[in-house]
Amino acid sequence: MWSERSRNLSRHCTEDLGEAPSKMKHLTCFLLWFFLSEAQGFEIPTNALPEFAEYGDLVELVPDKFQFVPENRRHQRSVSGESGETMEDVDQVTLYSYKVQSTVTSRMATTMIQSKVVNNSPQPQNVVFDVQIPKGAFISNFSMTVDGITFTGSIKEKTVGRALYSQARAKGKTTGLVRSRALDMENFKTEVNIPPGAKVQFELHYQEVKWRKLGSYEHRLHLQPGRLARHLEVDVWIIEPQGLKFLHVPDTSDGHFDGVPVISKGHQKAHVSFKPTVAQQRKCSNCSETAVDGELLVVYDVHREEKAGELEVFNGYFVHFFAPENMDPIPKNILFVIDVSGSMWGVKMKQTVEAMKTILDDLRTDDQFSVVDFNHNVRTWRNDLVSATKTQITDAKEYIEKIQPSGGTNINEALLRAIFILNEANNLGLLDPNSVSLIILVSDGDPTVGELKLSKIQKNVKQHIQDNISLFSLGIGFDVDYDFLKRLSNDNRGIAQRIYGNQDTSTQLKKFYNQVSTPLLQNVQFNYPHTSVTDVTQNSFHNYFGGSEIVVAGKFDPEKSEQLKSIITATSANTELVLETLAQMDDLEDFLSKDKHADPDFTRKLWAYLTINQLLAERSLAPTAAAKRKITKTILQMSLDHHVVTPLTAMVIENEAGDERMLADAPPQDHSCCSGALYYGSKIAPSSLPSWASPSPTPRTPMPAIGAPVVETSPPPHVMRVENDPHFIIYLPKSQKNICFNIDSEPGKILNLVSDPESGILVNGQLIGAKKPKNEKLSTYFGKLGFYFQHEDMKIEISTETITMSRGSHTSILSWSDTAQVLSQRVLVSVKREKTVMITLDKERSFFVLLHRVWKKHPINVDFLGIYIPSTNKFSPKAHGLIGQFMHEPKIRIFNERPGKDPEKPEASMEVKGQNLAVTRGLQKDYRTDTVFGTDVPCWFVHNSGKGFIDGHYKDYFVPQLYSFLKWP
């Protein structure tokens, strides 16, 4: 971070500022770089964060370990030390303190780096403040105090900033300007010459969004003080309302800092503290060099088991995080297009072959693939897609191993060949309609053969590629036009990523493939009520890959709606999916207000980050000059409003009087949204939901409504139902009577409710017991229900925790915390959060499941399920089961009503199935309209577990498995 220059250089630089004020004569040769290959700057407060307070729910853990990724830096010698330590005194420049404070609030990270330096030498000294910034971070502010003169940064439109800088330079009141196009680094660098005895303080603020990759978030802090610091403090606060699933700080420093980092972790927040003493900073006990030269890496993930999406609303903005799990992968059709031109010779080709061998081994059996390799010619391993069998994978690996790089680069023809293979397979019906088609291009250079014009190649690809194909581009090294690859991929439902050409190339290639190897959803669209939501970021995405996360943000007007609901539509493996998410607005506000480290402005910052980056990407793809000018105007205004350094703005750094200026000017570059993100989507207007996701007008198939707004449907007044422990209520429509009976059995037993082999419909229920007996009787309830639709090969298991849908080898899991609809073949499953599940087959037969939650600490009761089935003649004559047998109504006659032992419960005789039964008038509960107290339903109760009313004995209805049909004579 720090460097010194010779006394002659210092004198020469000082002489160049002869007209400057006396305090500024020594402020010379100031160099300020932005090595920013992506995007810069948001406005965040510049005051230092307060010390970390003890959280009430934090538990001190065993000190974790600390990761340092060493980097090549020139040799530095240190002179500073703690009181009582003997230090080598070389240049008399003391790094008094080096402080890093970083807070992550719901994926939005803000970081402050501050250093204080004292020149104890009798001569002026040059000092460099050189900070590495994570790729894609936004610099938001910078301040510097040199010998009492304070410089602060402000964002100006680029031409205005340059004009101010030029004015100051004309008067000799400025330092040098350097712009860099370096692509592999993102640095902020300043150099200042300070007189003897002077003090200088630098303070830089930046922010970034944490993108989820391969199941976790990584928060990296580059720690490079350059020398020993008297006081070195690093504090990281992670604050996630969803709750922290795990958090750790890996160690790759060979144990040098073992025991120094301290982790305190609670349910929703954590603190990582790293404060090594000077002795601990030394590379060795008698070394003057610092071992602090690398990265602090914090890895974590959040809880998302309860629901697929998290919708957070605060201060007029919303952020929607979407990362569903528990879904089967969608089959892939994947074309690998590999550059084998002469420039790939050596390490790059060796590493690419190594990566491809691993990638091919990771293909699933239901995937299809092929390989296209190209130099000045184009070859294909197979002219069409083949299944990823062991034999085919082995053959493909042998083909790749024999590749010898040579010749030129014909990117245009290679891509068109890959597109043709996928298009042809699709046109011939050889692709699974639910599969995902991907092209992965790996290249290290620009085209040298065939079509050379990049815009023409981009046009050719766009013209021929079908809209169900995503193109991902991996650019190896720096000879390739990375901006072109970004435009090419963004224009075709994919992203580009730079791969650094070194011994780590293979790992980088494999890591990227792993990110796209598990597609879980297609055609993911986010819908919000247009009456209260505006300025939504990209909300339509071609694919969702497991282990990642989609983020959508927008503005929300609470005066127009008290609540915010979102509707997500998507396609998973063989199912259509609709998910509804309701924002927990009051809970979030209460949570944030209780934590002084939480950033109350995280929703606005995250929205601005997404919006500006997406606009920059749209600008690079603008079809006309007029469209580009319009987007440019919007970007410029947002950049100024949100204090962001972009290719359209510059940071002017000046003293309080405004007569001393410096300029931080970002080099013009093409931005791709968003650095670190796996998705580049599009914007869609609010659209109507699919017809199957709307409430059905048919009264016999009620379902929880899911739409915007949600409309409740009225349940049919008369159904067959099972509630409580368990009480059966059979409605007989011809007689217009309700007949009731109880089943008293043992926990674990499975009862058949509906068994219709001819229609292929089965419903079974498994009993669970209360926590303990009451009045010497252990009550039993339905804790699990199984539905099997044989003709659709669809099984649905509903417990008090989850709803699991299986079709063939594919499985999807929803929780009761979701509001969702899933359509597979003719079966529609509708979940109403913490309330109901409706299963509808062909809009003709419906099954309604009601969730009963009890107080978790209740000494006796447990959660259980109720089931409601409307009477219908859609079942076959062979339908049976405790409920199914009554789909074909038996004749009954109730007569001889008389007072019973209980005056409020009269008795009568019932003639049914050739028998006369004694029945009692009573009340049972229907909980569909009142889930707490229920609605009274009068019925005639049949004693002895329904004996005489049901066929046979109730034990005849036991089945061995949840999906076993009833074997009835």
Side-chain angles (χ1 to χ4, degrees):
M1 170 178 166
W2 305 101
S3 66
E4 295 84 29
R5 297 295 185 268
S6 69
R7 200 173 300 175
N8 290 336
L9 174 62
S10 301
R11 188 180 300 112
H12 174 73
C13 294
T14 306
E15 289 171 354
D16 288 343
L17 291 179
E19 299 299 322
S22 58
K23 283 189 177 182
M24 289 304 299
K25 285 183 179 180
H26 300 290
L27 187 105
T28 62
C29 295
F30 187 100
L31 307 179
L32 184 55
W33 279 279
F34 279 122
F35 288 55
L36 297 179
S37 60
E38 299 298 327
Q40 301 85 8
F42 272 5
E43 178 180 10
I44 62 174
T46 58
N47 57 299
L49 296 174
E51 295 300 322
F52 187 80
E54 288 77 23
Y55 287 140
D57 63 343
L58 289 179
V59 178
E60 193 75 8
L61 303 181
V62 176
D64 209 324
K65 296 186 177 180
F66 185 92
Q67 172 165 3
F68 278 99
V69 182
E71 303 187 10
N72 294 326
R73 297 182 58 83
R74 61 190 172 189
H75 178 74
Q76 300 289 343
R77 301 174 69 185
S78 178
V79 299
S80 58
E82 290 180 325
S83 176
E85 294 194 39
T86 303
M87 306 289 294
E88 181 182 1
D89 190 348
V90 177
D91 55 21
Q92 296 295 316
V93 173
T94 301
L95 175 56
Y96 180 76
S97 74
Y98 184 83
K99 181 183 293 186
V100 180
Q101 295 179 330
S102 187
T103 302
V104 181
T105 305
S106 284
R107 328 304 196 262
M108 191 72 223
T110 60
T111 300
M112 182 276 291
I113 301 176
Q114 181 193 82
S115 65
K116 298 179 180 179
V117 180
V118 180
N119 181 11
N120 296 320
S121 168
Q123 300 295 330
Q125 297 290 332
N126 278 6
V127 179
V128 176
F129 178 68
D130 188 356
V131 178
Q132 281 201 14
I133 300 164
K135 187 176 182 181
F138 279 16
I139 290 178
S140 59
N141 220 322
F142 172 72
S143 63
M144 176 180 69
T145 301
V146 183
D147 202 18
I149 300 177
T150 299
F151 290 76
T152 57
S154 61
I155 303 298
K156 307 290 184 182
E157 192 270 329
K158 179 167 287 187
T159 56
V160 173
R162 286 180 174 175
L164 291 171
Y165 175 78
S166 298
Q167 291 174 11
R169 184 173 59 181
K171 298 178 181 179
K173 304 289 187 178
T174 183
T175 62
L177 167 66
V178 174
R179 300 171 62 198
S180 172
R181 295 179 180 272
L183 298 175
D184 62 333
M185 302 288 287
E186 296 186 5
N187 281 22
F188 186 99
K189 186 174 182 179
T190 71
E191 183 173 345
V192 61
N193 182 272
I194 57 176
K199 300 176 182 178
V200 59
Q201 174 178 307
F202 302 95
E203 186 169 302
L204 176 71
H205 294 253
Y206 67 85
Q207 58 189 218
E208 54 180 321
V209 171
K210 301 286 96 182
W211 296 104
R212 188 170 185 254
K213 294 182 179 180
L214 302 177
S216 65
Y217 306 93
E218 293 185 353
H219 186 45
R220 298 175 181 272
L221 294 176
H222 294 253
L223 305 179
Q224 297 164 323
R227 62 180 66 204
L228 300 177
R230 287 183 181 272
H231 306 283
L232 195 155
E233 301 178 6
V234 181
D235 288 296
V236 180
W237 296 274
I238 308 290
I239 301 160
E240 291 286 356
Q242 282 180 259
L244 292 168
K245 184 177 182 180
F246 65 81
L247 182 145
H248 63 277
V249 182
D251 170 39
T252 58
S253 64
D254 297 326
H256 185 93
F257 293 100
D258 190 16
V260 178
V262 178
I263 299 177
S264 303
K265 180 178 177 295
H267 173 59
Q268 294 172 298
K269 44 199 170 186
H271 175 221
V272 178
S273 174
F274 176 69
K275 300 179 181 180
T277 64
V278 171
Q280 291 170 327
Q281 294 173 46
R282 297 178 186 275
K283 282 188 175 182
C284 61
S285 59
N286 60 349
C287 293
S288 60
E289 295 88 2
T290 178
V292 183
D293 187 5
E295 291 180 340
L296 166 64
L297 175 62
V298 181
V299 181
Y300 75 94
D301 197 16
V302 301
H303 284 292
R304 51 177 58 82
E305 290 85 355
E306 293 186 356
K307 51 187 175 181
E310 176 78 3
L311 189 55
E312 297 179 358
V313 181
F314 198 68
N315 283 346
Y317 294 85
F318 76 87
V319 180
H320 195 166
F321 302 105
F322 183 66
E325 298 176 338
N326 300 317
M327 293 182 175
D328 284 328
I330 298 174
K332 300 187 297 293
N333 314 302
I334 186 165
L335 260 295
F336 299 99
V337 183
I338 303 173
D339 183 348
V340 297
S341 61
S343 59
M344 287 287 288
W345 181 270
V347 173
K348 284 189 283 189
M349 194 70 241
K350 181 180 179 181
Q351 292 278 309
T352 300
V353 169
E354 180 184 331
M356 282 302 305
K357 288 163 64 177
T358 303
I359 289 169
L360 291 173
D361 281 334
D362 288 342
L363 291 173
R364 299 181 179 87
T365 54
D366 54 357
D367 292 338
Q368 296 188 87
F369 78 104
S370 189
V371 178
V372 175
D373 59 298
F374 69 97
N375 46 27
H376 51 283
N377 295 316
V378 176
R379 298 190 310 167
T380 55
W381 166 67
R382 292 286 187 271
N383 290 324
D384 49 15
L385 293 167
V386 298
S387 297
T389 63
K390 289 185 178 180
T391 301
Q392 297 286 12
I393 289 173
T394 299
D395 191 69
K397 288 162 67 176
E398 292 176 353
Y399 175 84
I400 291 172
E401 286 177 334
K402 295 177 182 178
I403 291 175
Q404 296 294 322
S406 65
T409 307
N410 193 342
I411 293 178
N412 183 70
E413 187 177 339
L415 285 174
L416 294 182
R417 181 76 62 87
I419 291 169
F420 174 81
I421 292 173
L422 282 171
N423 288 350
E424 189 74 3
N426 188 46
N427 295 338
L428 294 175
L430 301 178
L431 304 184
D432 183 339
N434 293 313
S435 61
V436 168
S437 294
L438 309 174
I439 295 175
I440 296 183
L441 168 67
V442 180
S443 180
D444 75 332
D446 289 343
T448 61
V449 178
E451 181 59 61
L452 303 181
K453 193 174 182 181
L454 300 183
S455 60
K456 180 62 175 177
I457 296 175
Q458 186 177 342
K459 183 178 180 181
N460 289 343
V461 171
K462 184 69 173 178
Q463 181 178 345
H464 289 90
I465 197 169
Q466 294 183 356
D467 59 8
N468 64 330
I469 301 173
S470 295
L471 171 60
F472 295 91
S473 302
L474 303 180
I476 299 180
F478 297 99
D479 293 331
V480 66
D481 189 326
Y482 185 56
D483 292 344
F484 162 66
L485 293 184
K486 287 190 288 187
R487 291 193 300 271
L488 189 65
S489 293
N490 288 352
D491 208 19
N492 295 286
R493 297 161 294 279
I495 66 163
Q497 181 167 313
R498 185 179 295 284
I499 303 295
Y500 301 106
N502 52 35
Q503 298 297 330
D504 194 40
T505 297
S506 177
T507 301
Q508 297 175 64
L509 289 171
K510 287 184 286 188
K511 185 174 181 180
F512 177 83
Y513 170 76
N514 289 338
Q515 293 180 61
V516 299
S517 65
T518 311
L520 298 182
L521 293 173
Q522 295 185 84
N523 304 320
V524 185
Q525 295 188 1
F526 295 73
N527 294 274
Y528 305 93
H530 64 276
T531 54
S532 57
V533 169
T534 59
D535 298 310
V536 178
T537 59
Q538 291 176 357
N539 60 338
S540 178
F541 302 89
H542 194 61
N543 297 308
Y544 165 74
F545 299 98
S548 65
E549 183 172 61
I550 295 177
V551 183
V552 180
K555 295 179 179 179
F556 173 70
D557 187 350
E559 294 185 358
K560 295 183 179 179
S561 177
E562 294 183 358
Q563 289 286 347
L564 175 60
K565 290 182 180 180
S566 72
I567 307 294
I568 303 172
T569 60
T571 303
S572 64
N574 298 308
T575 61
E576 298 291 332
L577 178 68
V578 174
L579 288 168
E580 176 185 313
T581 303
L582 177 66
Q584 303 298 315
M585 302 169 67
D586 295 337
D587 293 346
L588 180 62
E589 184 173 359
D590 182 62
F591 171 75
L592 294 175
S593 66
K594 293 179 179 178
D595 193 291
K596 66 179 181 180
H597 295 285
D599 184 356
D601 209 21
F602 80 93
T603 51
R604 181 190 67 84
K605 292 176 182 177
L606 210 156
W607 171 81
Y609 176 93
L610 291 178
T611 301
I612 292 172
N613 272 288
Q614 290 171 6
L615 285 171
L616 287 167
E618 290 174 22
R619 181 174 180 263
S620 71
L621 297 173
T624 65
K628 188 171 185 177
R629 284 194 297 270
K630 183 177 180 181
I631 297 173
T632 299
K633 183 178 180 181
T634 304
I635 296 172
L636 176 59
Q637 190 58 52
M638 282 200 67
S639 301
L640 297 174
D641 291 345
H642 294 275
H643 207 258
V644 180
V645 177
T646 70
L648 306 179
T649 57
M651 179 182 285
V652 176
I653 302 164
E654 56 188 353
N655 61 1
E656 187 175 354
D659 58 359
E660 304 287 345
R661 294 193 184 112
M662 290 139 275
L663 187 69
D665 191 7
Q669 45 196 302
D670 175 41
H671 286 253
S672 172
C673 185
C674 300
S675 180
L678 192 57
Y679 304 101
Y680 181 74
S682 59
K683 292 184 181 181
I684 58 169
S687 59
S688 59
L689 296 176
S691 58
W692 53 266
S694 303
S696 169
T698 307
R700 305 188 76 87
T701 57
M703 67 182 68
I706 180 166
V710 172
V711 180
E712 296 289 350
T713 56
S714 300
H718 302 297
V719 294
M720 300 180 185
R721 70 209 84 179
V722 186
E723 278 289 4
N724 289 318
D725 56 341
H727 302 317
F728 287 73
I729 307 174
I730 306 299
Y731 175 69
L732 303 176
K734 293 180 181 178
S735 305
Q736 295 188 343
K737 303 288 186 183
N738 285 310
I739 310 299
C740 307
F741 61 92
N742 294 347
I743 296 292
D744 294 320
S745 188
E746 304 170 6
K749 295 294 185 181
I750 301 174
L751 295 172
N752 174 253
L753 304 180
V754 178
S755 181
D756 188 358
E758 190 170 306
S759 299
I761 298 175
L762 170 74
V763 183
N764 290 331
Q766 186 170 28
L767 297 173
I768 57 172
K771 294 176 182 177
K772 63 181 181 180
K774 181 180 181 180
N775 300 326
E776 298 184 354
K777 179 182 180 295
L778 181 68
S779 298
T780 56
Y781 309 86
F782 279 130
K784 185 182 293 183
L785 294 168
F787 298 83
Y788 180 30
F789 303 100
Q790 192 174 35
H791 297 165
E792 289 73 26
D793 192 22
M794 184 79 172
K795 295 178 180 178
I796 304 168
E797 179 182 307
I798 302 176
S799 70
T800 56
E801 302 298 326
T802 59
I803 301 97
T804 303
M805 295 151 285
S806 303
R807 183 170 180 269
S809 60
H810 299 286
T811 301
S812 298
I813 300 176
L814 296 172
S815 80
W816 281 99
S817 297
D818 292 313
T819 294
Q821 291 194 4
V822 178
L823 177 65
S824 179
Q825 300 293 319
R826 301 182 301 154
V827 181
L828 175 63
V829 180
S830 305
V831 183
K832 187 73 173 179
R833 185 175 187 267
E834 292 294 334
K835 291 183 179 179
T836 60
V837 174
M838 172 63 70
I839 301 173
T840 306
L841 177 64
D842 275 349
K843 298 184 179 180
E844 295 179 341
R845 282 157 288 198
S846 59
F847 307 87
F848 188 83
V849 179
L850 188 66
L851 174 66
H852 292 271
R853 291 281 191 221
V854 300
W855 181 41
K856 289 184 178 181
K857 296 182 180 180
H858 195 284
I860 298 176
N861 295 342
V862 293
D863 295 344
F864 66 94
L865 303 172
I867 181 170
Y868 298 74
I869 306 176
S871 301
T872 177
N873 59 2
K874 298 297 182 179
F875 292 92
S876 77
K878 294 184 179 180
H880 212 277
L882 287 169
I883 293 178
Q885 63 186 291
F886 299 106
M887 293 299 174
H888 303 285
E889 182 177 339
K891 292 182 180 179
I892 68 166
R893 183 172 72 91
I894 296 177
F895 59 98
N896 191 21
E897 292 190 35
R898 54 193 181 273
K901 296 179 182 179
D902 185 338
E904 296 184 0
K905 296 181 179 181
E907 296 180 352
S909 298
M910 182 174 71
E911 186 180 276
V912 60
K913 298 180 180 180
Q915 301 185 63
N916 286 328
L917 307 176
V919 293
T920 302
R921 189 69 167 175
L923 296 174
Q924 294 291 356
K925 293 288 187 180
D926 184 326
Y927 291 94
R928 289 174 298 166
T929 55
D930 187 340
T931 58
V932 178
F933 300 105
T935 303
D936 288 335
V937 177
C939 68
W940 289 103
F941 183 77
V942 180
H943 302 273
N944 300 319
S945 298
K947 185 177 180 180
F949 180 60
I950 63 174
D951 294 336
H953 192 273
Y954 81 88
K955 292 185 178 180
D956 297 333
Y957 296 86
F958 288 165
V959 291
Q961 304 292 334
L962 194 61
Y963 299 110
S964 298
F965 278 95
L966 178 67
K967 294 181 180 180
W968 193 263

